[in-house]
Amino acid sequence: MENKEEQAPVVLAGLELDSDEDFEHSMEEMLSLIDACNMEVVDVVRQKLPHPEAGTYLGKGKANELKEAVLQTGAAYCIFEGNLSPAQLKNLQNITGIEVWDRTRLILEIFSRRARTREARLQVESAYLQYMLPRLSGMWQHLGRQAGASGSMSNRGIGETQLELDRRHINTRIAELSRELETIKRTHDVQRAGRLKSTLPSVALVGYTNAGKSTLLNKLVEYSGSNEDKKVLQKDMLFATLDTSIRRIHTEGNKDFLLSDTVGFIEDLPHTLIKAFRSTLEEAVHADLIIIVLDVSDDYYRLHKKVTEDTLKELEAHTIPRIYVMNKADLLPEVNGDLPKIKQDEIWISAEKGKGLEELLDMILAKVYAGSETLTILLPFARGDLLNLLHQRAHILSEEYLPDGTLLKVNCPADLLDRFREYTYE
Ligand SMILES: Nc1nc2c(ncn2[C@@H]2O[C@H](COP(=O)(O)OP(=O)(O)OP(=O)(O)O)[C@@H](O)[C@H]2O)c(=O)[nH]1
Ligand SMILES: [Mg+2]
């Protein structure tokens, strides 16, 4: 890969199909993705066609124009807005003489650069290998040419033997990775089960990349006066977050909950990546409440909302209750003055300016502690475990020691009601 400091020059190519209404938006998003990969667009080649050309994606003439642009600019990569078939990729690489990436390949590259934890690294490697597998022949053809140039062997022989070896090698590695990931997932499941049984309701922040999820997590931690001072990275860059972070949010009256922040979504998130990141995203799947964070200052936020909802469906998390946070509302002059604005399950806030945090917390608590009831109970002294549970989860209104045990008046969360009914005291 290129030196990280130096931005690799890129020619961006886009094909506008008749059916594609959001082409301009996709091209703009490509600029942000390329930027997130520390590369620089030096030229853009675009074409309008009813459908992609089978062999070269672009039309023949356009493909030659692309080659010219590459020669003129000295670009190191040619990146396509859409996704290319293995054959198209190979042909375009031959035509331009440089490395050709499609959108999926670019997103994989960003993920691989950002992956920090062991789990994220394994997930990205697995997604990358699955992507490469059907595209290997293009790569070996390239190597074969080099070997052929030295004149000692037949291109075909080297290419094909190497290809076969590589396929086998990669398949073995993919299997190995899924075993390792499965082990990590089991550990997570056990940890999650532990949290579910003994502690607090869980709330997950999800949404399009760059919507402000990490900013909101940091602000809520700060606002709740929690002493967890470990901030998560918030940055104006696509896919700043790749791992899941969980923080405990303190509230008055013992209504604490766990808040998680995770990898953002994007339109057409490559399927291999969704699959590979499933265990990272699993935190959202198991939440009691999902907060969908949207950047309302983005003209395309409705599209982002749909992408988020579709991705949740794919993760089978669409039945979990949700709140919609319309974030970055400070950038909308018409509402900025009177934030927060609340409409049913939607709340307009500014995470960055800290506007609407209190109201959002109220909405969260109303949801996760919905169905809670005030009970008067007498707990035998022997049930210290249950007393602890109440202290962790319930809002304790009064507590007094009687000869037979502890008499408590509590606001008990719905999921615990059954466990305490038998101790109710008239
Ligand atoms: N004006 C404004 N900017 C905000 C607000 N919330 C977040 N931002 C900015 O938006 C950018 C992205 O914020 P993040 O919190 O990193 O977004 P994210 O959703 O975690 O993004 P990924 O981790 O990349 O998926 C940062 O530059 C923030 O400062 C807001 O309420 N108003
Ligand atoms: Mg983030």
Side-chain angles (χ1 to χ4, degrees):
M1 214 49 275
E2 303 299 309
N3 179 343
K4 282 223 160 174
E5 305 310 309
E6 210 173 283
Q7 295 201 316
V10 165
V11 175
L12 169 63
L15 182 61
E16 180 172 6
L17 302 174
D18 293 343
S19 55
D20 190 357
E21 290 161 24
D22 298 318
F23 179 70
E24 289 310 323
H25 170 245
S26 305
M27 286 297 271
E28 261 175 49
E29 192 166 78
M30 285 301 289
L31 295 178
S32 306
L33 285 168
I34 289 169
D35 187 55
C37 209
N38 198 30
M39 296 168 133
E40 188 191 6
V41 174
V42 290
D43 202 354
V44 180
V45 172
R46 37 170 87 217
Q47 187 175 26
K48 225 172 158 161
L49 284 180
H51 45 78
E53 205 60 48
T56 48
Y57 192 69
L58 302 172
K60 287 267 149 45
K62 221 18 152 190
N64 280 324
E65 204 178 293
L66 182 65
K67 177 185 175 179
E68 269 315 300
V70 167
L71 286 174
Q72 291 286 321
T73 57
Y77 296 87
C78 183
I79 303 185
F80 278 76
E81 178 265 324
N83 284 325
L84 302 170
S85 72
Q88 287 166 342
L89 189 92
K90 185 162 130 181
N91 293 334
L92 285 163
Q93 224 146 246
N94 285 338
I95 292 170
T96 58
I98 58 172
E99 221 177 288
V100 173
W101 289 2
D102 60 9
R103 185 170 178 275
T104 298
R105 176 70 183 81
L106 178 63
I107 293 176
L108 283 168
E109 182 69 24
I110 298 172
F111 272 60
S112 83
R113 289 180 182 210
R114 297 271 197 284
R116 290 287 172 269
T117 61
R118 181 175 154 68
E119 182 179 28
R121 283 208 300 271
L122 296 178
Q123 287 171 331
V124 174
E125 186 185 348
S126 169
Y128 178 73
L129 291 178
Q130 288 173 51
Y131 171 84
M132 284 317 277
L133 208 49
R135 293 172 175 81
L136 286 176
S137 69
M139 288 179 20
W140 282 116
Q141 186 192 34
H142 170 70
L143 236 188
R145 266 209 315 269
Q146 285 178 344
S150 70
S152 56
M153 281 187 221
S154 124
N155 300 351
R156 213 164 159 256
I158 286 191
E160 287 187 356
T161 319
Q162 196 56 52
L163 186 62
E164 201 32 57
L165 281 175
D166 274 15
R167 282 214 179 106
R168 227 177 299 161
H169 193 76
I170 289 181
N171 275 318
T172 314
R173 180 69 185 146
I174 291 176
E176 203 174 278
L177 286 167
S178 10
R179 275 196 302 275
E180 282 189 60
L181 283 166
E182 188 51 40
T183 312
I184 296 179
K185 180 179 175 323
R186 271 202 297 274
T187 318
H188 282 185
D189 288 348
V190 169
Q191 286 168 350
R192 190 179 303 113
R195 278 204 301 273
L196 276 184
K197 263 207 301 291
S198 66
T199 64
L200 306 167
S202 62
V203 178
L205 294 165
V206 301
Y208 214 72
T209 176
N210 217 41
K213 301 177 291 296
S214 301
T215 307
L216 185 54
L217 176 81
N218 287 334
K219 283 289 174 176
L220 286 174
V221 167
E222 197 183 300
Y223 179 83
S224 79
S226 154
N227 46 15
E228 291 194 58
D229 47 42
K230 268 191 305 175
K231 291 223 160 170
V232 300
L233 173 72
Q234 52 183 77
K235 196 169 172 189
D236 188 13
M237 174 177 74
L238 302 191
F239 299 115
T241 306
L242 273 203
D243 304 303
T244 300
S245 306
I246 303 172
R247 299 285 184 274
R248 179 176 179 146
I249 304 294
H250 293 284
T251 62
E252 292 192 359
N254 282 331
K255 292 186 175 177
D256 289 10
F257 60 91
L258 298 173
L259 186 63
S260 68
D261 171 34
T262 188
V263 57
F265 302 157
I266 194 166
E267 196 181 0
D268 300 324
L269 189 64
H271 205 80
T272 45
L273 267 179
I274 296 194
K275 244 175 70 193
F277 271 77
R278 217 192 142 88
S279 80
T280 297
L281 293 166
E282 207 101 294
E283 206 58 52
V285 180
H286 292 279
D288 299 305
L289 173 68
I290 286 180
I291 299 184
I292 297 185
V293 183
L294 297 162
D295 172 358
V296 270
S297 75
D298 191 308
D299 291 342
Y300 285 89
Y301 88 86
R302 285 184 188 80
L303 174 73
H304 297 173
K305 181 176 170 198
K306 184 172 181 327
V307 168
T308 304
E309 287 169 339
D310 290 349
T311 312
L312 286 176
K313 201 167 212 168
E314 194 160 345
L315 292 165
E316 290 159 26
H318 53 293
T319 55
I320 300 172
R322 5 176 125 154
I323 291 175
Y324 288 91
V325 165
M326 320 305 258
N327 190 35
K328 306 198 191 180
D330 55 295
L331 299 174
L332 302 180
E334 66 276 19
V335 288
N336 180 32
D338 44 22
L339 291 179
K341 199 175 97 181
I342 299 174
K343 214 173 81 193
Q344 286 157 348
D345 289 340
E346 293 179 357
I347 175 168
W348 274 256
I349 70 161
S350 167
E352 189 153 277
K353 303 259 183 295
K355 285 189 192 170
L357 299 177
E358 186 184 342
E359 292 80 355
L360 173 59
L361 271 178
D362 286 345
M363 283 173 81
I364 295 172
L365 295 183
K367 290 262 184 198
V368 294
Y369 283 100
S372 66
E373 276 179 36
T374 303
L375 300 179
T376 304
I377 49 187
L378 183 64
L379 271 187
F381 291 120
R383 299 312 306 263
D385 56 330
L386 291 180
L387 188 63
N388 278 341
L389 187 58
L390 284 179
H391 275 279
Q392 271 174 351
R393 293 282 314 276
H395 182 188
I396 301 193
L397 304 165
S398 69
E399 183 171 356
E400 140 187 27
Y401 300 105
L402 298 185
D404 305 341
T406 315
L407 181 70
L408 300 123
K409 193 168 172 195
V410 296
N411 190 351
C412 181
D415 62 314
L416 293 184
L417 284 171
D418 282 347
R419 296 176 71 171
F420 289 98
R421 287 249 192 256
E422 61 177 294
Y423 299 105
T424 47
Y425 182 80
E426 296 310 319

